[in-house]
Amino acid sequence: MGKDSIRLVANNKKAWHDYFIEDKYEAGIELHGTEVKSIRQGHCSIKEAFIRVERGEVFIYGMHVSPYEKGNIFNKDPLRVRKLLLHRSEIRKLVGKMAQKGYTLVPLQVYFKGSHIKVEIALSKGKKLYDKREDIAKKDQRRAAERDFKVRNL
């Protein structure tokens, strides 16, 4: 693996369904040794995770990192709050945009970038029910058009 090779560990497909994604940011994550080993094995989930900014620092809640089997007493709580590592200017920018109505931070994916574990977070706006229905209808139309195209070209 090269220095910039990316290997996906966890993906949050639900975020794309529930939110309009505006901006994406790459953040490091503060982990303990056994958590890193567990993530290397792919035991990580961000389905129910959310992000908050508190006292000028960014934290991720609800990110589940399964305990490492061989970690015994060194294992930490699987759902503990973890600090995300961002530059101060990025945090200020995020706080400014989140002050606007309806913006929130959601984790999109966890991946390895070289040997470092990164979290892609997104500044996003929540979708209403009719927006979700609109997206589903568009996907169905696109799928039907692709199916028709495939049938014609046989």
Side-chain angles (χ1 to χ4, degrees):
M1 287 210 303
K3 211 172 193 178
D4 291 329
S5 64
I6 292 177
R7 191 186 80 178
L8 190 65
V9 177
N11 200 358
N12 190 358
K13 292 180 184 176
K14 191 177 176 190
W16 292 96
H17 183 260
D18 292 343
Y19 298 97
F20 291 114
I21 306 299
E22 303 276 326
D23 289 336
K24 294 180 188 175
Y25 296 90
E26 183 180 74
I29 186 165
E30 194 175 87
L31 296 168
H32 293 279
T34 56
E35 290 175 324
V36 174
K37 290 179 179 184
S38 183
I39 290 176
R40 280 200 190 282
Q41 292 179 342
H43 301 298
C44 175
S45 172
I46 55 171
K47 283 190 174 95
E48 300 296 322
F50 61 95
I51 297 170
R52 283 197 181 139
V53 180
E54 298 169 356
R55 299 181 307 277
E57 294 180 327
V58 184
F59 296 94
I60 186 166
Y61 292 81
M63 177 179 165
H64 188 277
V65 177
S66 299
Y68 183 59
E69 300 99 41
K70 300 174 184 117
N72 58 38
I73 61 166
F74 299 109
N75 282 332
K76 299 289 182 187
D77 177 30
L79 289 171
R80 76 179 183 86
V81 178
R82 294 169 179 88
K83 185 177 175 181
L84 295 181
L85 309 171
L86 287 162
H87 290 284
R88 195 171 289 135
S89 59
E90 289 178 319
I91 295 172
R92 271 194 240 114
K93 194 185 298 182
L94 288 173
V95 169
K97 288 188 178 181
M98 284 176 63
Q100 297 175 16
K101 188 173 178 254
Y103 281 103
T104 186
L105 286 173
V106 292
L108 294 179
Q109 57 188 12
V110 177
Y111 55 93
F112 279 97
K113 189 173 186 183
S115 62
H116 299 286
I117 299 173
K118 301 289 184 177
V119 179
E120 186 176 45
I121 62 175
L123 185 70
S124 53
K125 202 168 205 165
K127 285 185 181 177
K128 303 281 189 245
L129 183 61
Y130 57 84
D131 291 327
K132 292 178 191 177
R133 287 183 184 149
E134 215 173 88
D135 281 353
I136 291 169
K138 283 180 186 174
K139 283 180 187 173
D140 288 343
Q141 285 176 341
R142 185 177 48 79
R143 241 184 255 121
E146 286 175 0
R147 198 177 309 118
D148 290 343
F149 183 72
K150 189 176 180 181
V151 168
R152 283 189 207 136
N153 287 338
L154 285 177

